[in-house]
Amino acid sequence: MTSVKSLIQQANPIPDATPDAASQTAPHTTPATPAAQARWRVRRAGLALGGLAALAAAVVAVPAVLGPRGEGSGGDPAPPPAADEPYYTTTADLERSADLIVRARLDATRETEEDGVQETVATVSVAATARGETPGRTLQVSYPAPGSGQPDGPGLTVSHEYVLLLDRTDDGGYTLVNTDQGYYGIDAGHAEAGPDNDVALSGKVLAALGLKR
């Protein structure tokens, strides 16, 4: 399946920056419905109108796949397609993918649902910034709600501090760069990766955020 970033590059003929030739992403897949997959990709990418149309067309054009008894003979449908998120295998690729890297406290969350897609919108207070410029001390960060399966979002906890790696959206909000690597919990001055994230943050980013290796 075509990755989110490759779809963005096709939809945006003038990218913000030339990607490093050595930068590679390995797909990380989690089951999701086509509608949820399309909406979450569009929200994360922050594409222009033309890019949205292209992405929607690509999703609509995916043909139904039949099981072993398929080919129009009454076979059972195959499992639904999987949502394809980028997964960054190196520290440099991961940090470069983010528009904004901050240390922030999660102040409050609320759940939203639109067209059957469930999201969590978190209000966070920024304590330090390692990459990008924040528009203010408070940000709105969206990610799939835990248990939503589109893919399944992280269970971040109110009043806890995190390192957040964020993509900026057109509406002024932010989303995690992906649901596995977009956050690191902070414990005793150290940034701790989530259970499905094997990539550590760089010493430069940790120092800018006042954290230790």
Side-chain angles (χ1 to χ4, degrees):
M1 180 178 291
T2 303
S3 70
V4 172
K5 287 192 179 292
S6 64
L7 287 173
I8 297 171
Q9 291 167 357
Q10 294 173 20
N12 181 7
I14 308 177
D16 293 334
T18 302
D20 188 333
S23 174
Q24 298 292 331
T25 62
H28 175 73
T29 59
T30 307
T33 64
Q37 173 186 344
R39 182 172 180 273
W40 181 243
R41 285 181 174 179
V42 167
R43 182 170 179 80
R44 286 190 64 252
L47 297 174
L49 182 59
L52 294 176
L55 181 58
V59 173
V60 171
V62 175
V65 180
L66 298 179
R69 295 181 293 124
E71 299 181 0
S73 60
D76 296 329
D84 189 4
E85 287 191 302
Y87 186 92
Y88 302 97
T89 57
T90 70
T91 297
D93 288 344
L94 174 59
E95 293 178 356
R96 187 165 45 238
S97 74
D99 293 322
L100 191 65
I101 301 178
V102 298
R103 176 178 179 173
R105 185 186 70 247
L106 198 156
D107 293 330
T109 62
R110 59 184 174 86
E111 304 301 314
T112 66
E113 181 175 344
E114 184 176 344
D115 299 328
V117 177
Q118 296 179 331
E119 287 184 344
T120 298
V121 179
T123 301
V124 304
S125 296
V126 177
T129 303
R131 178 180 173 88
E133 295 184 4
T134 61
R137 302 300 294 178
T138 301
L139 302 177
Q140 299 293 310
V141 178
S142 300
Y143 48 88
S148 62
Q150 54 173 335
D152 196 12
L156 304 187
T157 305
V158 172
S159 298
H160 284 213
E161 271 198 314
Y162 297 91
V163 177
L164 300 176
L165 290 86
L166 305 172
D167 284 336
R168 184 179 294 108
T169 61
D170 285 342
D171 61 4
Y174 291 86
T175 63
L176 303 178
V177 294
N178 68 39
T179 52
D180 290 331
Q181 298 177 296
Y183 70 98
Y184 289 71
I186 296 177
D187 183 31
H190 297 273
E192 298 185 346
D196 296 315
N197 182 10
D198 297 326
V199 180
L201 296 172
S202 68
K204 181 178 179 180
V205 162
L206 293 174
L209 299 178
L211 299 173
K212 300 173 287 188
R213 281 188 177 278

